[in-house]
């Protein structure tokens, strides 16, 4: 948890796949918040954390299921405003004396609410008397409100769409204000945090930088730190931040596993050795990694092999420099949240290539993870605050396993080289078209499929390459980028002409709704 000098909000997680979006909306309005599982948010935790407001997330459960997650009673006795969202609203009603009904009014998708009485939480909504679009996702619903509550807004399918007990400053919404499909949902959350709870919004990236440097110095003391660079933005920002805190006590290790993007190694080495003068060990471990990955097709196995080998290499390099007391990583807040999922669901495996669960027992180093309270776009903001080149900070995300998870099936050096060349052409054309900054992530996938084609007068039997490009705000949800056919035609022509081994190019137009994953 961050220093207690900031006003803080607690988000109690009941297992919703979009809980992280609540935190994003609050951070966007300058309010520091943390997500913690419902079974950890007890009286002792609340006393230590001292939140100025509490938000109860949605979740997949029914309050009537055996063992259904419930809020600790201390939450409702803390004397601070509480907002319950979807299942959080139902938990609040169930525990405070209302009644929940299930199975009779399932509602998933867009709905429109209209005000019953005006309230501070609705400030700035319903302009011109128009209803507000919201996003419903519930099977159960409130059938009877708890004592002290009244209806604030309703929809045709949800008579208790927004409810409130103004005296205790308790609120509930049947819909999800955190998702983009609730058009003015961010305003509802701001109204609750700033209007109802009275928070000023005192959390800035400059403040985070200063506090993080102080925490690193306090944790590390006179110890030595080895930082594992992956070539991505996260580990790079972590390295620059740590170097600012402890200087020559930091040594960075960049491991090229043979599955990096074109030019990646040269760019990383140049940035750290020449621009920042940070001690850097460059390890070409491509033979080791590709050898261990030979014949492995399962994507999760690939992740584990790569993650294990990274640790082995770091351990070996630490010994070469005379030992290290700490290992630094670019772990982000989404990684941390997913590693402690309250439901034990699929999110537990999504970030398995990050070592968020701790180091192997054989290693004597402790972890330094200065970004573990930040989301991706906040890391970019911190990078700019630290003075990293914008071209580097603004790069598209690149997962730790690199091209390994963009080559379905077994991996060979030849496949990696083919994909690397094709991907470089794709990104080059995106940059030439001035589209790079409009796209959150773009990459190529070498499919384990060959097709027959005719190139010139020769029949070919070569691979299919898939192109992917998505727009997103936070990476939690994404939609495909609508390239025009002329652009796709240029890219496909260049790849087929310049990359031997590919004779067909396809474009993936799959959207990414909450809870799904990419080509990984």
């Amino acid at each position: 948890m961050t220093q207690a000098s900031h006003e803080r909000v607690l988000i109690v997680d009941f297992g919703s796949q979009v809980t992280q979006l609540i935190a994003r909306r609050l951070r966007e309005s300058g309010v520091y918040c943390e997500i913690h599982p419902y079974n950890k948010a007890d009286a002792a935790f609340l006393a230590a954390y001292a939140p100025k407001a509490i938000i109860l997330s949605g979740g997949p459960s029914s309050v009537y299921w055996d063992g259904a997650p419930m809020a600790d009673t201390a939450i409702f006795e803390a004397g601070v405003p509480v907002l319950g969202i979807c299942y959080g609203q139902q938990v609040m009603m169930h525990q405070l004396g209302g009644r929940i009904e299930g199975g009779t009014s399932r509602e998933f998708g867009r709905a429109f609410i209209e005000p019953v009485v005006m309230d501070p939480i609705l400030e700035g909504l319903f302009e011109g008397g128009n209803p507000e679009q919201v996003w419903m996702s519930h099977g159960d619903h409130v059938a009877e409100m708890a004592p002290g509550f009244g209806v604030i807004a309703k929809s045709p399918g949800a008579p208790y769409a927004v409810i409130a007990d103004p005296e205790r400053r308790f609120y509930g919404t049947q819909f999800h204000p955190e998702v983009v499909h609730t058009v003015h949902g961010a305003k509802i959350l701001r109204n609750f945090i700033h209007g109802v709870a009275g928070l000023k919004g005192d959390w800035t990236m400059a403040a985070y930088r200063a506090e993080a440097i102080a925490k690193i110095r306090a944790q590390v003391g006179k110890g030595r730190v080895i930082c594992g660079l992956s070539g991505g933005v996260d580990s790079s920002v972590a390295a620059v931040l740590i170097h600012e805190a402890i200087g020559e006590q930091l040594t960075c290790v960049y491991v090229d596993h043979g599955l990096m993007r074109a030019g990646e190694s040269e760019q990383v080495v140049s940035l750290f050795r020449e621009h920042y003068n940070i001690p850097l060990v460059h390890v070409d471990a491509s033979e080791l990694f590709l050898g261990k990955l030979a014949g492995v097709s399962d994507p999760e196995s690939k992740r584990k092999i790569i993650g294990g080998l990274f640790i082995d290499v770091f351990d070996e390099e630490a010994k070469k420099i005379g030992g290290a007391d700490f290992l630094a990583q670019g772990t982000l807040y989404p990684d941390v949240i997913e590693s402690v999922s309250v439901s034990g669901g699929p999110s537990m495996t999504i970030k398995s290539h990050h070592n968020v669960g701790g180091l192997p027992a054989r290693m004597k180093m402790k972890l330094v993870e200065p970004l573990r309270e930040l989301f991706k776009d906040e890391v970019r903001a911190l990078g700019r605050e630290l003075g990293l080149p914008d071209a580097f900070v603004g790069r598209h995300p690149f997962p730790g396993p690199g091209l390994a998870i963009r080559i379905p099936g077994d991996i060979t050096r030849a496949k990696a080289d083919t994909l690397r060349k094709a991907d470089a052409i794709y990104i080059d054309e995106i940059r030439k078209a001035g589209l790079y900054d409009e796209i959150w992530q773009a990459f190529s996938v070498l499919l384990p499929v060959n097709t027959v084609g005719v190139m010139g007068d020769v029949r070919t039997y070569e691979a299919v390459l898939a192109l992917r490009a998505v727009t997103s705000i936070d990476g939690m949800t994404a939609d495909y980028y609508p390239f025009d056919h002329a652009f796709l035609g240029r890219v496909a022509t260049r790849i087929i002409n310049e990359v031997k081994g590919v004779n067909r190019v396809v474009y993936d137009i799959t959207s990414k709704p909450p809870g799904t994953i990419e080509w990984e």
Side-chain angles (χ1 to χ4, degrees):
M1 292 183 287
T2 196
Q3 295 181 3
S5 59
H6 292 295
E7 301 173 317
R8 296 186 288 186
V9 175
L10 170 64
I11 301 171
V12 179
D13 184 18
F14 288 103
S16 169
Q17 59 188 356
V18 292
T19 299
Q20 292 183 41
L21 295 185
I22 305 173
R24 287 300 305 116
R25 303 299 170 249
L26 268 56
R27 298 269 186 100
E28 287 164 1
S29 65
V31 173
Y32 183 78
C33 59
E34 291 182 12
I35 300 170
H36 290 275
Y38 72 94
N39 52 2
K40 301 294 184 183
D42 56 16
F45 177 87
L46 291 175
Y49 186 76
K52 296 294 185 182
I54 299 172
I55 296 179
L56 309 180
S57 85
S61 304
S62 167
V63 296
Y64 295 119
W65 289 356
D66 290 339
M70 293 291 155
D72 194 289
T73 56
I75 287 174
F76 303 117
E77 298 169 357
V80 300
V82 179
L83 170 64
I85 295 174
C86 198
Y87 179 76
Q89 181 201 49
Q90 296 166 15
V91 163
M92 180 187 291
M93 290 299 93
H94 182 68
Q95 293 187 235
L96 296 181
R99 183 169 61 87
I100 306 301
E101 205 171 75
T104 59
S105 61
R106 290 158 48 94
E107 194 174 14
F108 301 95
R110 290 177 178 82
F112 293 87
I113 63 170
E114 56 185 33
V116 175
V117 296
M118 289 310 295
D119 182 275
I121 202 170
L122 303 180
E123 183 71 30
L125 276 69
F126 307 106
E127 293 185 359
N130 296 316
E132 286 286 343
Q133 178 183 300
V134 300
W135 191 261
M136 296 285 185
S137 180
H138 64 94
D140 295 356
H141 65 277
V142 177
E144 184 178 327
M145 289 183 294
F149 283 82
V151 178
I152 300 299
K154 64 181 181 179
S155 74
Y160 303 114
V162 184
I163 59 176
D165 179 341
E167 185 174 337
R168 289 184 287 181
R169 295 183 295 173
F170 290 174
Y171 285 80
T173 67
Q174 183 61 80
F175 56 88
H176 287 271
E178 68 271 32
V179 302
V180 295
H181 303 89
T182 298
V183 177
H184 292 121
K187 183 176 291 187
I188 294 172
L189 291 172
R190 285 197 301 270
N191 286 344
F192 172 72
I193 293 301
H194 297 295
V196 174
L199 275 72
K200 298 183 293 294
D202 62 356
W203 194 71
T204 65
M205 197 49 63
Y208 187 91
R209 173 186 181 179
E211 292 169 10
I213 288 171
K215 288 168 68 176
I216 292 167
R217 289 172 177 165
Q219 180 187 6
V220 172
K222 296 183 178 180
R224 299 196 66 177
V225 179
I226 187 170
C227 179
L229 288 178
S230 68
V233 174
D234 306 336
S235 60
S236 299
V237 171
V240 173
L241 179 66
I242 294 168
H243 186 255
E244 184 168 308
I246 61 172
E248 295 300 309
Q249 292 169 246
L250 169 70
T251 298
C252 291
V253 176
Y254 172 68
V255 180
D256 183 350
H257 51 31
L259 296 161
M260 309 305 293
R261 291 176 289 200
E264 193 97 47
S265 297
E266 295 81 1
Q267 187 177 21
V268 171
V269 171
S270 173
L271 178 71
F272 282 86
R273 283 185 180 164
E274 299 173 17
H275 188 81
Y276 284 101
N277 198 29
I278 296 176
L280 172 67
V281 177
H282 178 198
V283 183
D284 183 354
S286 57
E287 292 293 338
L288 172 65
F289 279 80
L290 292 173
K292 292 290 186 181
L293 289 167
V296 179
S297 297
D298 177 64
E300 196 61 24
S301 296
K302 293 177 185 177
R303 290 178 184 275
K304 291 177 179 177
I305 289 171
I306 292 171
L309 289 175
F310 265 125
I311 293 296
D312 291 342
V313 173
F314 294 147
D315 196 19
E316 182 179 341
E317 294 301 323
K319 293 174 183 175
K320 290 180 181 178
I321 64 172
D325 307 288
F326 299 89
L327 172 64
Q329 293 189 150
T331 305
L332 304 191
Y333 199 37
D335 306 328
V336 176
I337 297 168
E338 287 163 346
S339 72
V340 294
S341 168
V342 300
S343 61
S347 65
M348 293 288 283
T349 65
I350 292 175
K351 297 294 181 184
S352 59
H353 61 290
H354 285 282
N355 193 34
V356 294
L359 294 172
R362 61 181 170 79
M363 296 185 71
K364 298 180 181 179
M365 290 184 282
K366 298 178 182 178
L367 282 173
V368 178
E369 298 174 310
L371 309 182
R372 64 186 285 121
E373 296 172 346
L374 300 181
F375 289 88
K376 188 75 174 188
D377 55 326
E378 293 172 324
V379 173
R380 296 189 195 280
L382 178 58
R384 295 184 178 97
E385 177 75 23
L386 290 165
L388 269 80
D390 200 62
F392 192 89
V393 174
R395 291 194 307 170
H396 292 175
F398 189 60
L403 302 180
I405 53 173
R406 294 173 183 172
I407 304 176
D410 67 309
I411 298 171
T412 65
R413 186 178 290 276
K415 287 183 180 179
D417 288 341
T418 297
L419 180 56
R420 197 168 6 249
K421 292 175 185 175
D423 195 67
I425 291 170
Y426 181 34
I427 299 302
D428 180 56
E429 288 295 331
I430 288 175
R431 289 189 182 279
K432 286 179 178 176
L435 301 175
Y436 190 83
D437 292 336
E438 292 184 30
I439 296 169
W440 190 78
Q441 186 182 41
F443 57 86
S444 306
V445 179
L446 189 65
L447 299 181
V449 176
N450 281 13
T451 63
V452 174
V454 176
M455 302 175 70
D457 296 320
V458 179
R459 186 181 297 276
T460 62
Y461 185 61
E462 295 179 332
V464 177
L465 187 85
L467 305 179
R468 176 88 163 132
V470 296
T471 57
S472 180
I473 296 173
D474 41 44
M476 290 294 296
T477 60
D479 202 359
Y480 69 91
Y481 187 82
F483 288 124
D484 61 46
H485 286 90
F487 172 85
L488 292 174
R490 287 196 303 274
V491 174
T493 298
R494 276 197 63 189
I495 290 173
I496 291 170
N497 286 343
E498 299 176 32
V499 182
K500 187 177 181 180
V502 176
N503 70 358
R504 192 174 303 274
V505 176
V506 298
Y507 183 56
D508 174 17
I509 61 170
T510 308
S511 296
K512 180 192 173 190
T516 65
I517 59 174
E518 304 277 359
W519 281 88
E520 294 188 8

